[in-house]
Amino acid sequence: MKGAKRIRDDFVQSVKLILAKRVNFRCSICDVQTTGPKTGTSNKDFSIGKAAHIKAAAPGGPRYDPNQSPEKRASIENGLWACATCADIIDRDADAYSVEELLRLKHEAEQLARDRVGRNPETALQTQSEIRRAINVFCRREAARQERLDPRFKVAVHMGESGTIYEISAKEPVETRLVIGTQGKESEFLALHDFFDYGGNHVSDSVDIRMEGSPLFPSENIKRFRLSTQPRSVTITAILNEETTTPLFVEFTGNATQGSKGFRFKGSAFDGMMTAITTADYDGGRPDFAFTFNLEGWAKKPAKRLPYFARLQQIMQSLASPVQIRIQCTHNGIELDVGKGFVDGGEHFRFLRIFLNEIDELRQLDDFFGLDLTLPTDLTDVIRDRGDISELLAMVNIDKSGEREIRLRMISIDSEEQLKTMIANQAAVDIRINYQLNLSILGKNYGPFDVDVICPAATVHSVGPSLIEAGKPANLAMIAADGHHWIAQVVNAKEHSKRRSNS
Ligand SMILES: [Zn+2]
């Protein structure tokens, strides 16, 4: 009909025949044979095969491509040989059968047909890849067969180590019944209850469970049974100490599952260094909230550049005693209050709190002495090998501590007259105490360092009934005058780091 408006770009007969022959008249999706002799005849055949369009033949059809030319649309490249059922399924479930997926299936079916040419079917499976391909074909055929039993479900079939795995998901709300036999264990029953209350994943092995409501559900014993609900991506904000002047906001991103009673969330913050699991009821009941920390990411990192150190230490400190927590949930831009509760990490995080304090102290030393410390591969070494540094830290932080008095024992005195005058007069003078230090931290030696502890105005006192005599030891206390304080500084820090970078 010249001039008539062409609506469909159908395949011509010769294209259909070549498509069919290229896969030996087998369905490219499920591998069934599509032709046979017509019963009661000696010269006729029948076919359940169809030349299906990969990109639809007409606008509005599945995978239709408006930019495709009519010639290309009707060409053999745009076709795929399939049985009537599969041809129907790939069009009705176009999301599951993309253009790429269909091209892959077509290619695979043609390869299989090529391998089978001239081969006895019994000896056809010889190589690993042939076996793998045959299994894939079986799984696909089985999935298609199952879906035909109940089109309300999408079925995926896999070959597992202990047998065939059927993954059945409802395309629409479907009413089903789960029957638990009397052989079921109490713990199993509770776990199932929990699944229905809050969703998630539930796996049972050798269970006394049966499902009713679809011909898809097996009636015989199931070896392994897994139920799961669709997770949704959700952001949860945990607000600690909300009613104080320093509330802490921690945002977790992750997935939530829902059940009939409430939902369960698992998500992480600070690039996975902190994880939260929470279960909350829809009625706003007291939520259950649990944190875990994974600080492994700090291994082998420079002490001065530990990701999220300050934030995590802040959180850890506020968890040292029972703390109020409010949980807010954001999903699709909607904010929802999940509930309020208390978390008490006092005992639970004791070790982690000690660990963070140790690292904090190492960082202070690192900063003060310019050590460029790197944390060890095994972070537990931090607590084991850092040595006793509390006295050192007290000196380093003497300005922050506000300590006004320094006590020291002088081994020998050179100018006893001058010292005697200072003690007798009690006049505030400029005092500088010099220490020579060698440090050993995390198995490495640093130093020597010259550290000065300085106060511009301090008085000197004799401690105990000691006499100030040349060449004799003396116990002294040096006290900062009112309005003054001590500071500590490394005299040779620059020289020291220069020396190290040269070596
Ligand atoms: Zn088929």
Side-chain angles (χ1 to χ4, degrees):
M1 282 217 311
K2 219 176 170 190
K5 198 177 170 201
R6 191 147 84 170
I7 305 169
R8 291 182 54 87
D9 296 309
D10 283 324
F11 300 117
V12 296
Q13 208 54 43
S14 61
V15 165
K16 291 183 188 174
L17 188 62
I18 298 172
L19 271 175
K21 280 182 168 175
R22 285 178 63 89
V23 289
N24 192 26
F25 294 91
R26 282 175 178 268
C27 173
S28 305
I29 315 285
C30 73
D31 201 39
V32 297
Q33 188 175 315
T34 59
T35 60
K38 199 173 168 123
T39 311
T41 70
S42 59
N43 60 352
K44 288 200 172 72
D45 66 278
F46 79 99
S47 168
I48 57 160
K50 275 183 172 179
H53 278 79
I54 293 174
K55 293 179 175 178
R63 300 170 295 271
Y64 181 75
D65 177 5
N67 298 319
Q68 198 179 33
S69 69
E71 291 70 33
K72 281 258 186 254
R73 206 169 281 136
S75 73
I76 193 159
E77 284 77 24
N78 194 35
L80 168 117
W81 190 256
C83 73
T85 310
C86 287
D88 198 31
I89 288 174
I90 63 170
D91 283 357
R92 276 196 294 184
D93 198 5
D95 286 343
Y97 295 95
S98 62
V99 172
E100 293 70 33
E101 174 67 1
L102 290 178
L103 288 172
R104 192 185 68 76
L105 291 171
K106 177 181 180 179
H107 177 73
E108 209 177 85
E110 290 186 346
Q111 279 229 311
L112 187 62
R114 183 180 298 117
D115 292 347
R116 282 167 168 168
V117 173
R119 277 238 199 123
N120 185 325
E122 273 80 56
T123 61
L125 299 179
Q126 282 177 341
T127 66
Q128 280 289 331
S129 69
E130 279 168 357
I131 293 167
R132 214 165 26 242
R133 204 179 298 139
I135 290 172
N136 286 344
V137 168
F138 163 79
C139 289
R140 222 159 40 234
R141 183 165 44 186
E142 183 59 9
R145 188 180 72 85
Q146 293 283 337
E147 278 183 30
R148 259 173 266 148
L149 291 175
D150 190 344
R152 296 176 302 170
F153 291 90
K154 169 129 196 75
V155 183
V157 179
H158 315 280
M159 198 56 80
E161 265 171 34
S162 57
T164 324
I165 299 166
Y166 290 86
E167 208 174 297
I168 302 167
S169 42
K171 294 181 194 162
E172 55 192 77
V174 178
E175 204 166 297
T176 61
R177 202 164 52 239
L178 192 72
V179 184
I180 304 169
T182 49
Q183 302 299 306
K185 278 179 268 165
E186 173 82 4
S187 59
E188 177 64 31
F189 189 71
L190 290 173
L192 263 173
H193 244 291
D194 187 67
F195 170 80
F196 287 112
D197 286 347
Y198 301 106
N201 268 304
H202 176 77
V203 182
S204 304
D205 284 298
S206 55
V207 281
D208 194 6
I209 280 179
R210 196 157 40 84
M211 269 186 95
E212 293 175 350
S214 168
L216 280 185
F217 304 148
S219 52
E220 71 268 31
N221 260 349
I222 309 163
K223 273 192 222 150
R224 174 168 255 238
F225 188 74
R226 197 188 102 179
L227 287 164
S228 56
T229 55
Q230 203 66 252
R232 291 154 191 265
S233 70
V234 161
T235 302
I236 270 190
T237 309
I239 308 156
L240 295 165
N241 278 327
E242 192 179 22
E243 275 144 35
T244 69
T245 48
T246 51
L248 280 172
F249 294 80
V250 189
E251 201 167 86
F252 297 91
T253 52
N255 286 314
T257 57
Q258 285 177 291
S260 57
K261 213 170 168 186
F263 75 94
R264 183 167 289 141
F265 168 85
K266 185 173 182 191
S268 63
F270 309 119
D271 294 333
M273 294 185 79
M274 192 173 173
T275 306
I277 297 174
T278 182
T279 309
D281 290 351
Y282 296 128
D283 63 13
R286 192 171 152 153
D288 183 27
F289 208 83
F291 292 128
T292 50
F293 292 86
N294 178 4
L295 308 178
E296 286 304 310
W298 285 346
K300 295 197 253 180
K301 287 249 161 59
K304 63 165 78 82
R305 284 192 303 275
L306 299 178
Y308 310 111
F309 179 83
R311 287 280 282 148
L312 289 169
Q313 205 194 20
Q314 221 179 0
I315 291 165
M316 202 62 87
Q317 272 161 3
S318 60
L319 290 175
S321 50
V323 61
Q324 199 191 55
I325 186 166
R326 188 158 70 84
I327 299 159
Q328 231 171 33
C329 164
T330 317
H331 175 60
N332 285 340
I334 299 163
E335 249 177 42
L336 180 87
D337 252 335
V338 175
K340 269 186 189 178
F342 277 93
V343 214
D344 185 0
E347 200 40 48
H348 191 68
F349 295 123
R350 206 167 53 88
F351 180 80
L352 270 177
R353 215 161 38 242
I354 293 171
F355 172 73
L356 279 178
N357 283 340
E358 308 281 289
I359 292 197
D360 187 32
E361 292 178 356
L362 285 181
R363 279 160 60 94
Q364 290 177 40
L365 290 183
D366 183 70
D367 186 47
F368 187 79
F369 291 103
L371 303 177
D372 290 333
L373 286 177
T374 301
L375 294 194
T377 313
D378 182 357
L379 289 179
T380 51
D381 288 350
V382 170
I383 291 184
R384 205 169 45 222
D385 294 347
R386 56 142 219 175
D388 183 17
I389 55 175
S390 52
E391 270 184 44
L392 202 55
L393 272 168
M395 185 177 78
V396 164
N397 290 323
I398 195 158
D399 56 329
K400 288 180 210 135
S401 70
E403 203 67 61
R404 288 183 60 202
E405 184 179 310
I406 289 176
R407 284 195 179 212
L408 60 119
R409 183 176 167 82
M410 291 187 92
I411 302 301
S412 71
I413 299 162
D414 301 329
S415 46
E416 81 271 20
E417 285 311 317
Q418 201 187 338
L419 190 59
K420 275 181 184 166
T421 318
M422 278 162 75
I423 294 170
N425 288 352
Q426 287 299 298
V429 288
D430 183 350
I431 292 181
R432 174 179 303 255
I433 306 160
N434 180 261
Y435 293 89
Q436 272 249 323
L437 292 172
N438 281 296
L439 304 181
S440 174
I441 299 168
L442 295 171
K444 269 194 189 170
N445 295 315
Y446 303 87
F449 294 98
D450 276 327
V451 178
D452 279 353
V453 178
I454 309 159
C455 182
T459 52
V460 184
H461 307 257
S462 176
V463 178
S466 65
L467 292 167
I468 307 296
E469 270 179 58
K472 292 245 174 98
N475 292 323
L476 300 172
M478 320 227 169
I479 302 169
D482 276 347
H484 293 275
H485 67 278
W486 295 95
I487 60 157
Q489 64 186 36
V490 186
V491 183
N492 59 342
K494 274 199 185 124
E495 283 168 47
H496 174 77
S497 61
K498 211 186 292 165
R499 228 181 13 249
R500 263 188 305 138
S501 56
N502 286 346
S503 63

